[in-house]
Amino acid sequence: MADEIITSEGVSSSSELNSSSRIICRVCQKQFSQYTCPRCNSRYCSLPCYKSHSLRCTESFMRENVMEELQHVQPNDGSKQKMLDILKRFHSEDEADIMDEDDSPLSEETIQKVLSGNQISFEDLSAEEKKHFQRAVASGELSKLIKPWEPWWSKPSAKYISLGQDGTQLVQPLVKEDTAVSSEDRIGSDPLHDIPLGPDSPLPSVRKLSAAGPSPLLAVHLVDIMYSYCFTLRLYNGDWQSDPIGSATVLLSVSSVLGQGGQPETVLEALSHCMEQTCSSAFRHTGGLQFALGLINDTITLLHLDTPAVVCLLCDLRRLIQHAEKDLKSEKYRKSKSSEMKTKLKSAERKVYFIMCWAHEQPKEAWSSIAAIVEAEKSRLVEFIGSKTSVPKMTKVQSEGKPLIKEVE
């Protein structure tokens, strides 16, 4: 090849053997190459040639390295120090000597706070860091660094969820004997679990929980709860454990059944309320109407997965509420606000547990029927909304003694 210069001198040592074949720098075409770009395998001779050979290549390589390490980082001193070294190498001109000093957005103090597990708010950033952060948000650079979350109900493994006859998980994860963490704390926080685990203890019969029979509207209430669960998980990118109280607050805001003691009587009423909340000013940034319709699709998908998936969903939702209750006790909330939140969470937990026991007793055919109703109501909503950008507000009216739903202009 033209890029290679083969010497004719005899080889007397390993060093002479290595110098017998030299490749010309592919950037300047003047000097022998000494290095290889780890991303595109281009040969270069010096730092200036490395910087100029492909800016996109060098930046994307460093970004992928950082993201790969972030995905595998564990909360221990060794991994924290390793991540700190990576961030320093990425942001420091002295170690990487690739990026200019002005391109380093985070100070060492801020990096140390993040790695130590402390929460960082916008006010904690320096003036320069705030500018970098705002620019990154405006340009969409931050969103590129977040790997899109794939909902567990859309994974192939969700089709093969299996629970025992009493509703419990058939296979329990192994835990070291000296670990004092309960299964309630470890389930859901382990990234190795694609599917939320089912209940640890047998689910009692609904007849043992209430002397009166279950309400015929439980299926409608379940649609409200499932939609709200999907909304919360998508909003938090599947990681409700990072902020149980915030996740529970979102859940109670969207769900009429759990947050407001609502008693929707039709699937249309339940979906309309959830969609109104999704498209409200508080959550408009999530995607509005298209996002709301996507959440209905999530609900339909879950219903088609049958009883085990529904039970696992409700079990995961119950853990979310329990973690929020636990964190609320240690949070410095105002007394009145804390008391109100605790009351709502306790009521929500009881409702979720009752519906979970009810769902466990339902035949497989029930879920396909509910899914068909949700699909039909979604089609009606799509047809009705048409080119409108907002969801019609629904309210109850009385007509011949029967509650109906109509649009409020």
Side-chain angles (χ1 to χ4, degrees):
M1 294 177 61
D3 291 358
E4 296 183 359
I5 299 178
I6 310 298
T7 64
S8 58
E9 298 177 5
V11 179
S12 59
S13 65
S14 61
S15 62
E16 292 176 349
L17 179 61
N18 292 334
S19 63
S20 63
S21 178
R22 305 295 296 277
I23 300 178
I24 295 296
C25 174
R26 297 189 180 276
V27 181
C28 67
Q29 300 290 328
K30 296 179 180 179
Q31 303 293 332
F32 289 118
S33 63
Q34 301 183 45
Y35 312 100
T36 302
C37 173
R39 180 167 179 80
C40 66
N41 294 323
S42 293
R43 300 298 298 268
Y44 61 95
C45 63
S46 61
L47 181 59
C49 287
Y50 174 79
K51 288 183 176 181
S52 62
H53 92 282
S54 174
L55 183 60
R56 179 180 300 178
C57 174
T58 55
E59 286 183 347
S60 60
F61 172 73
M62 295 303 295
R63 185 185 299 111
E64 288 182 5
N65 274 349
V66 172
M67 293 308 299
E68 182 178 356
E69 291 296 334
L70 283 174
Q71 292 175 355
H72 295 88
V73 68
Q74 298 294 328
N76 55 65
D77 294 337
S79 61
K80 288 181 179 180
Q81 186 58 45
K82 183 178 179 180
M83 181 55 61
L84 179 59
D85 293 339
I86 293 173
L87 291 174
K88 283 182 177 180
R89 185 165 65 250
F90 181 67
H91 292 294
S92 173
E93 181 183 17
D94 292 336
E95 294 197 16
D97 203 18
I98 296 175
M99 302 179 66
D100 294 330
E101 186 175 356
D102 293 339
D103 293 332
S104 186
L106 296 179
S107 64
E108 183 173 342
E109 180 182 0
T110 302
I111 295 174
Q112 287 284 6
K113 287 181 180 180
V114 173
L115 294 178
S116 62
N118 296 329
Q119 292 187 355
I120 303 295
S121 67
F122 183 73
E123 298 302 324
D124 295 329
L125 302 178
S126 65
E128 189 64 25
E129 288 172 337
K130 289 179 180 179
K131 291 180 181 178
H132 279 285
F133 178 79
Q134 290 173 334
R135 284 198 295 265
V137 171
S139 65
E141 189 66 23
L142 287 182
S143 61
K144 297 178 182 178
L145 297 177
I146 301 176
K147 183 179 179 181
W149 175 66
E150 181 184 4
W152 60 263
W153 52 87
S154 66
K155 296 183 178 181
S157 54
K159 299 178 181 179
Y160 306 102
I161 303 175
S162 182
L163 300 176
Q165 292 185 351
D166 56 2
T168 56
Q169 190 73 30
L170 290 177
V171 179
Q172 297 289 346
L174 295 176
V175 181
K176 295 181 180 180
E177 294 182 358
D178 58 348
T179 301
V181 181
S182 66
S183 59
E184 288 290 329
D185 291 329
R186 70 176 181 269
I187 296 174
S189 61
D190 188 348
L192 296 179
H193 290 299
D194 288 341
I195 310 299
L197 295 183
D200 286 338
S201 57
L203 296 176
S205 171
V206 175
R207 289 176 294 180
K208 294 182 179 180
L209 298 177
S210 174
S215 169
L217 298 178
L218 285 184
V220 176
H221 298 176
L222 178 61
V223 171
D224 169 282
I225 293 173
M226 294 175 72
Y227 180 106
S228 304
Y229 171 85
C230 295
F231 179 95
T232 303
L233 260 66
R234 284 197 176 274
L235 186 64
Y236 280 84
N237 212 35
D239 185 22
W240 61 257
Q241 297 89 352
S242 62
D243 185 9
I245 294 179
S247 300
T249 301
V250 170
L251 175 74
L252 298 180
S253 299
V254 177
S255 173
S256 167
V257 173
L258 298 181
Q260 304 172 22
Q263 299 287 329
E265 298 179 1
T266 65
V267 171
L268 177 61
E269 183 183 352
L271 292 178
S272 297
H273 173 84
C274 292
M275 292 179 71
E276 287 172 19
Q277 298 304 311
T278 304
C279 298
S280 65
S281 57
F283 300 114
R284 195 178 300 277
H285 65 283
T286 60
L289 182 58
Q290 292 303 316
F291 182 55
L293 294 175
L295 292 169
I296 297 180
N297 290 335
D298 287 337
T299 304
I300 295 171
T301 299
L302 280 160
L303 288 170
H304 282 302
L305 293 176
D306 300 331
T307 302
V310 176
V311 171
C312 287
L313 178 152
L314 294 169
C315 194
D316 190 43
L317 181 56
R318 186 172 179 235
R319 293 187 192 102
L320 185 160
I321 297 173
Q322 290 174 336
H323 277 71
E325 289 180 301
K326 181 179 178 181
D327 289 358
L328 197 60
K329 295 178 181 179
S330 60
E331 286 285 343
K332 297 180 180 179
Y333 272 71
R334 289 182 303 177
K335 206 165 188 181
S336 58
K337 182 178 179 181
S338 175
S339 176
E340 180 183 359
M341 185 69 170
K342 287 178 181 178
T343 301
K344 287 187 175 182
L345 289 175
K346 193 168 187 64
S347 174
E349 182 188 355
R350 289 198 300 266
K351 289 181 180 179
V352 170
Y353 184 71
F354 185 87
I355 292 182
M356 179 167 60
C357 295
W358 169 83
H360 172 245
E361 298 177 351
Q362 301 310 302
K364 181 178 180 180
E365 297 76 16
W367 305 119
S368 57
S369 299
I370 301 173
I373 296 175
V374 176
E375 288 183 271
E377 295 297 355
K378 179 199 169 186
S379 299
R380 289 178 57 191
L381 284 169
V382 171
E383 182 180 358
F384 178 81
I385 294 170
S387 59
K388 295 183 180 181
T389 57
S390 60
V391 178
K393 185 177 181 180
M394 302 294 178
T395 185
K396 290 183 182 179
V397 296
Q398 291 294 133
S399 176
E400 300 179 357
K402 298 181 180 180
L404 301 176
I405 306 296
K406 77 170 185 178
E407 178 188 3
V408 177
E409 297 293 347

